[in-house]
Every structure is written in structure tokens, then in C-alpha cells.
Amino acid sequence: MTASMMKAVFSWIIMAFLLLPWSELAADAALTRHYKFDIKLQNVTRLCHTKSIVTVNGKFPGPRIVAREGDRLLIKVVNHVPNNISLHWHGIRQLRTGWADGPAYITQCPIQTGQSYVYNYTIVGQRGTLFWHAHISWLRSTVYGPIIILPKLNVSYPFQRPHKEVPIIFGEWFNGDTEAIINQALQTGGGPNVSDSYTINGLPGPLYNCSAKDTFKLKVKPGKTYLLRLINAALNDDLFFSIANHTLTIVEVDAVYIKPFETQTLLITPGQTTNVLLKTKPYFPDATFLMMARPYVTGFGTFDNSTVAGVVEYESSTVSMKKLPLFKPNLPDLNDTAFATNFTQKLRSLASAQYPANVPQKVDKQFFFSVGLGTAPCDQKNQTCQGPNGTKFSASINNVSFVQPTTALLQAHFSGQSNGVYSPDFPISPLHWFNYTGTPPNNTMVGNGTKVVVLPFNTSVELVMQDTSILGAESHPFHLHGFNFFIVGQGFGNFDPKKDPQNFNLVDPVERNTAAVPYGGWVAIRFLADNPGVWFMHCHLEVHTSWGLKMAWLVLDGSLPNQKLLPPPADLPKC
Ligand SMILES: *[C@@H]1O[C@H](CO)[C@@H](O)[C@H](O)[C@H]1NC(C)=O
Ligand SMILES: *[C@@H]1O[C@H](CO)[C@@H](O)[C@H](O)[C@H]1NC(C)=O
Ligand SMILES: *[C@@H]1O[C@H](CO)[C@@H](O)[C@H](O)[C@H]1NC(C)=O
Ligand SMILES: *[C@@H]1O[C@H](CO)[C@@H](O)[C@H](O)[C@H]1NC(C)=O
Ligand SMILES: *[C@@H]1O[C@H](CO)[C@@H](O)[C@H](O)[C@H]1NC(C)=O
Ligand SMILES: *[C@@H]1O[C@H](CO)[C@@H](O)[C@H](O)[C@H]1NC(C)=O
Ligand SMILES: *[C@@H]1O[C@H](CO)[C@@H](O)[C@H](O)[C@H]1NC(C)=O
Ligand SMILES: *[C@@H]1O[C@H](CO)[C@@H](O)[C@H](O)[C@H]1NC(C)=O
Ligand SMILES: *[C@@H]1O[C@H](CO)[C@@H](O)[C@H](O)[C@H]1NC(C)=O
Ligand SMILES: *[C@@H]1O[C@H](CO)[C@@H](O)[C@H](O)[C@H]1NC(C)=O
Ligand SMILES: *[C@@H]1O[C@H](CO)[C@@H](O)[C@H](O)[C@H]1NC(C)=O
Ligand SMILES: *[C@@H]1O[C@H](CO)[C@@H](O)[C@H](O)[C@H]1NC(C)=O
Ligand SMILES: [Cu+2]
């Protein structure tokens, strides 16, 4: 381009800017939104048990964050409780701002009692429903809340505009203290106690003892469309969800639009979000309808098999509140893998001109991770542990059970002091092949370490995650920080590197941040490592994370100035 051409283009850009109507200018006018999160104790009663829980601003579930695509968020977190805390903004890409991602000892040291930290990040290229939660030990059992990202001003949804939008966040309530539960389990080596109920917006609903008054009610009008923003913040359980006598249209998962489809029932794993349209009946139906959720379970251990319910109530000006008949939805069996598979395979990226599916077509590096449970030696002198055959439960990826460091990986990386904190030699595939989903091997003991995979900037990654049957096959919802990925394939049994890639979908695979490794099967994902930093990847069943089912990717800086991790904020907590 000659200088005069450049000058012409430049003045044209300025002209265009000046001629735009005000509203179009405002469409790009991103805001900075300020939030103050006080971490406080609060007494809360559910199922007739009162306990003191860790909360944000005394609220359970925590406050909503509402922002627009392009906005900057400044969230000041002040810790007033005896526990260490850190918060994660689940699904937010955190481009170059890994310091604000939140997992304790990965991207930051915890915020200690009396300390504060400002999470500072911009929402880039994302719109939809995500959520925030504590990312240390099991504190996320009570510390969580919705993140609602509206499209930019004057940009509409690629579906019918809803009459109302309603967040529906699933959780798990324990009558006991969850910190005591997981600490004791890690000490004895056994499985932790399971929850006493599931919750919808913090409420267990009428199917539990002493809980009818704690029921979530969705009041609706006939003939309207509601956007339900579903979030699974439960600690340890995938959930089936359905509303009696109503069909749901799924329009978005993990803050990415999909090709809409209708279903009576959906499946949502911990760490996933799903936006659905609920079209109410065109007339007042003279009935009340339950919405219900209960788990999808594949493992061999004990679990909470209870059902949470909320109510869909039609408001009417003419009919008095007489006793209306109540309808319940039919939910799949607790072990209905056929339903889970069928449902998962219907999810496809919208892949429109406006919202393309940028699936990496070439792959620079391939990884194969075996994921599943195993055992570790009992380290209690002269005692037997409560895991299988007197061992401790453990879990590993490629036989590495992740050992949490005592200083944050990102700080160690940025300051060039990784020695003794982590090693860059995480195995790219299992050291020994075995029949991953066949008869379990005799030796169930797994190794451990604090290892990362190092990726040059802009590496195109393909990762196959293979479930193992070492302690029984099980579905694991894996969550990747810092990126969305495309689910290009999945199947049962052992992944076949010759045959299976032939069936990969590289056109419109679903894009998300949390994907289930199927029960006794495998999932293949692709992502572009265009975000420098240290990015945690882990099973979002908190019990498995506690047992070590986690690892980290270290993405190096690129050569351009805008391809580098920003320096740490001055108030970043220290260990
Ligand atoms: C919770 O209840 C206990 C016992 O009644 C009381 O001592 C404590 O002050 C309460 N805590 C809060 C935060 O209200
Ligand atoms: C937030 O981070 C940006 C850089 O990403 C920086 O320019 C800004 O000053 C920070 N704001 C605060 C309040 O720390
Ligand atoms: C709800 O569905 C059941 C069958 O599942 C049906 O018997 C009933 O009539 C329906 N009720 C309403 C009000 O739609
Ligand atoms: C849940 O598990 C308990 C204890 O194992 C059992 O008694 C009960 O029948 C189960 N309930 C359902 C709905 O499966
Ligand atoms: C699911 O559980 C039921 C009993 O609740 C059992 O009859 C059935 O065989 C199980 N199905 C699978 C696929 O394991
Ligand atoms: C799978 O989905 C199709 C289409 O929605 C449905 O007809 C079929 O019954 C489903 N199968 C199972 C096992 O859920
Ligand atoms: C463990 O048992 C051995 C022999 O039975 C005994 O000598 C030793 O003192 C015990 N150690 C502990 C920590 O109890
Ligand atoms: C426990 O020991 C029994 C008997 O030796 C064996 O059959 C079983 O496979 C072992 N289980 C595990 C998880 O190691
Ligand atoms: C793995 O084990 C399964 C179940 O026992 C068996 O059907 C399959 O043939 C085995 N695969 C290989 C490659 O040995
Ligand atoms: C595993 O244990 C079985 C039964 O104890 C034995 O027959 C088999 O040889 C063992 N396999 C290996 C690989 O050690
Ligand atoms: C790591 O494995 C070794 C060898 O089995 C064991 O002694 C050690 O306790 C393990 N460390 C952790 C933190 O689990
Ligand atoms: C809180 O975190 C600091 C820094 O890692 C650590 O030294 C301390 O033991 C932790 N305190 C608690 C109560 O876990
Ligand atoms: Cu898991």
C-alpha cells in the first residue's frame, strides 16, 4: 500500500466513524463493571439443618454478575472468613489475563483471611451463560453464582427474543461441613460422604423431608417464551433435567450458540451451562408442573440418588388459587447411558456466518490421555486405609496423579522460578498400553507428580481422553480453563487411532469448555493454544479433582506484543 492509499483508507475510517448514528457507536462502547464480593459466613437452614456456610455477600447462591460482551469486570474480593479462598470465572477465556482465572495454586495463591484481590478481566467474543465459583478445596459447594453475558448492544439473539430470562443453578446441599468431609476422606483414603440433597437456586424442593417451603417457583404467563439459563454447580453429579408437559428448545451451551433442537429432557454435567427456551402453553392449563433433576451415575461408588424439584406455576388473573393437579416429568434411569449418548450427539455448533465454528483443521500436536481412578499406598503408619483393599483412592491422567504445589504455577512460570515447583514433562501418552476399558490390570497403584505440558503459542492441539476401567469405568466431565474446545469425536471402548479419526466432525462440532469422557469410552477435542499462561484442566467432579484427576497446560508467549501474558497485578496474593 502506498502512503497516499493508506491516508485515503485512514480518512475513510474516520469518516465512517463520524457518520455512524449514535446507537451504532454505542454498540461498541464497552463498560467497566464493578462488583464487590465480601466472603462472609452466613447461617443457612435446609432440610431442617442449620449450618454456617461460606458465602459471597451473605447470599446463597451468590450474586449474579450481569455484563455485556466486550465489558471489563473489576471484582474486588475481600476475605472475611477463616478459610483461604480464590474464585474462578468458569468458561471466561481470560485472554492474557491468567492472573484473574482463579484456581488456587495454579494461577494464584489463595486470598488469605483479611486480604483482598481485584479480579480484572475483559469478556472477549463470548455471550451466553457461564458461572463463577470458589476454586479451592470444596468451598464451591456454597460459593457460586451465575455469570450472564448479554450480546453487545443492538445485537439480538439468533433465536426468538424471550419474554423473560431466568437463571436456574443446580447445587448440592450437605448437612455436614464440606471442608470436614473432604479433609477426612483425604486422610482416611476412603470415599467422602455424599450430599443430602440437590438444589435449584439453593432450594431442595418438596420431595425431601422438611423442605417443601424451600421450593423454587417459576411463575409464568401463558403463550410466552422464557429463556432458562441452566447451570450445573453441583459438586459431584451429572444431572438429568425435565419439566412436566413442556418441551425445551436448547439454544446455547457453555456460552456458545448451537443449532437449536427440542427435547423433553436434557443432561448437564458439573461445569456445563445450557440455555433453553421454554414456550408456555397458549392457554391457562389449570395445572401445576414440576421441574425435576436427578443424577446420571456411572461409577461404582455410593452417590446421592435423590431428586430435586421446583414448580412451574401459571399466573392467572381469572382463576383463584384453588388446588390444581400436579404433573411430574419422567426422568431417565440413573444409569441411562443410551440417553446420555443420544443427547450429547445432538449438540452441534450453530456454525453460521455471524457465529462460525473455527474448528482447527490441521493439528500440530496430538495427545492421548488415559483418565480414571486408581489407588495410592496407605501412608498412615501401621493402619489400613479405607480405599480399595486398604489403600487410598487416587485418580490420574496418564498415570500421573497431580500433586498440588505450595506456590502458584503461573507465578513460578512468570518469574522463571519453576525449579522445584513443576516439571515440564507431562507424558503425551500413557507409558504402557493396556486394554483401557477391558479387564482391569492387577496393579491399580498410580504415580504422582506436578507436571505440565508446554505448548508454543498458537499450537493446534488434538487431545483424546480415554476413560479407564482400572477401578470401574466412569464418565468424567473434563473442564479446560482458558479455552473453548471443539468436540470432534467420541465413542465407546478403546480409541482406534486408525479408524476413529475418519469419523471426526470438523464442520460443526459443538464448542464448549466442559466435555464428558464417556463411560468406558473416549472423547476427542481440538483447540488452538492462542492464550499464553498456565491453564488448569480437570475432572469437574470435585471428588475426582481432590484425588488428583487434574493437570495443567503451559502456553508460552507469542512473539508479538499482544501475544504475551500481561504482568501480574500488584495486589496478586502471595503464598
Ligand atoms: C450462626 O449461628 C451461631 C449459633 O446460633 C451464632 O453463634 C453465630 O453468630 C451465627 N453466625 C452468623 C454469621 O450469623
Ligand atoms: C485492569 O487491567 C488492565 C490491563 O489489562 C489495566 O490497564 C487496568 O489498569 C487494570 N485495572 C485495575 C483497576 O487494576
Ligand atoms: C401432562 O402429561 C400427562 C402425560 O405425561 C398427561 O396425562 C396430562 O394430561 C398432561 N397434562 C396437561 C395439563 O398437559
Ligand atoms: C436410593 O438409595 C437408597 C439407599 O441405597 C435406597 O434405599 C433407595 O431405594 C434409592 N432410591 C432411589 C430412588 O433409587
Ligand atoms: C440400570 O439399573 C437398573 C436397575 O436400577 C438395571 O436393571 C439395569 O440393568 C441397569 N442398566 C445398565 C445399562 O447398567
Ligand atoms: C435418541 O433420539 C432420538 C431422536 O430424538 C429418539 O427418537 C430416540 O428415542 C432416542 N433414543 C434414546 C435411546 O434415547
Ligand atoms: C508400627 O508397628 C511396629 C511393629 O508392629 C512398631 O514397632 C512401630 O512402633 C509401629 N509404629 C507406629 C507409628 O505405631
Ligand atoms: C482387592 O483384592 C482382591 C483380592 O486380592 C482382588 O480380587 C481385587 O481386584 C482387589 N481390588 C483392587 C481394587 O485392587
Ligand atoms: C479389551 O477388553 C474388552 C473387554 O474385555 C474386549 O472386548 C476387547 O477385545 C479388548 N480389546 C483388546 C484390543 O484387547
Ligand atoms: C494378574 O493376577 C492374576 C490372578 O491373580 C494372574 O493370573 C495374572 O497372571 C496376573 N497378571 C499379571 C499381568 O500379572
Ligand atoms: C507420591 O507417590 C509416592 C510413591 O507412591 C508416595 O510415597 C507419596 O506419598 C505420593 N505423594 C503424594 C502427595 O501423594
Ligand atoms: C492459606 O494459604 C497459605 C498460603 O498458601 C498457607 O500458608 C496457609 O497454610 C493456608 N491456610 C489455611 C487455613 O489453609
Ligand atoms: Cu471424574
Side-chain angles (χ1 to χ4, degrees), residues 340-389:
T341 309
N342 204 5
F343 176 77
T344 309
Q345 284 175 349
K346 283 184 208 152
L347 299 169
R348 292 292 161 95
S349 279
L350 184 57
S352 64
Q354 196 179 357
Y355 302 103
N358 295 316
V359 191
Q361 297 293 317
K362 68 163 181 71
V363 171
D364 299 321
K365 286 202 176 161
Q366 278 177 317
F367 297 87
F368 183 87
F369 289 178
S370 62
V371 304
L373 304 190
T375 58
C378 186
D379 51 9
Q380 298 186 347
K381 298 274 176 299
N382 293 358
Q383 281 183 23
T384 50
C385 285
Q386 287 167 21
N389 290 349

Side-chain angles (χ1 to χ4, degrees), residues 127-130 147-151 157 165-169 227-231 252 274-276:
R127 75 300 295 168
T129 305
L130 294 170
I147 299 179
I148 292 162
I149 309 168
L150 302 170
Y157 295 125
E165 305 190 2
V166 185
I168 293 190
I169 191 159
L227 177 64
L228 308 184
R229 296 173 174 274
L230 310 178
I231 299 163
E252 181 231 293
T274 305
N275 278 4
V276 302

Side-chain angles (χ1 to χ4, degrees), residues 372-377 387-389 391-396 399 434 440-447 468-472:
L373 304 190
T375 58
N389 290 349
T391 64
K392 294 179 97 160
F393 273 113
S394 187
S396 70
N399 204 36
F434 63 101
N442 291 357
N443 182 3
T444 60
M445 291 290 176
V446 300
T468 70
S469 55
I470 296 176
L471 282 192

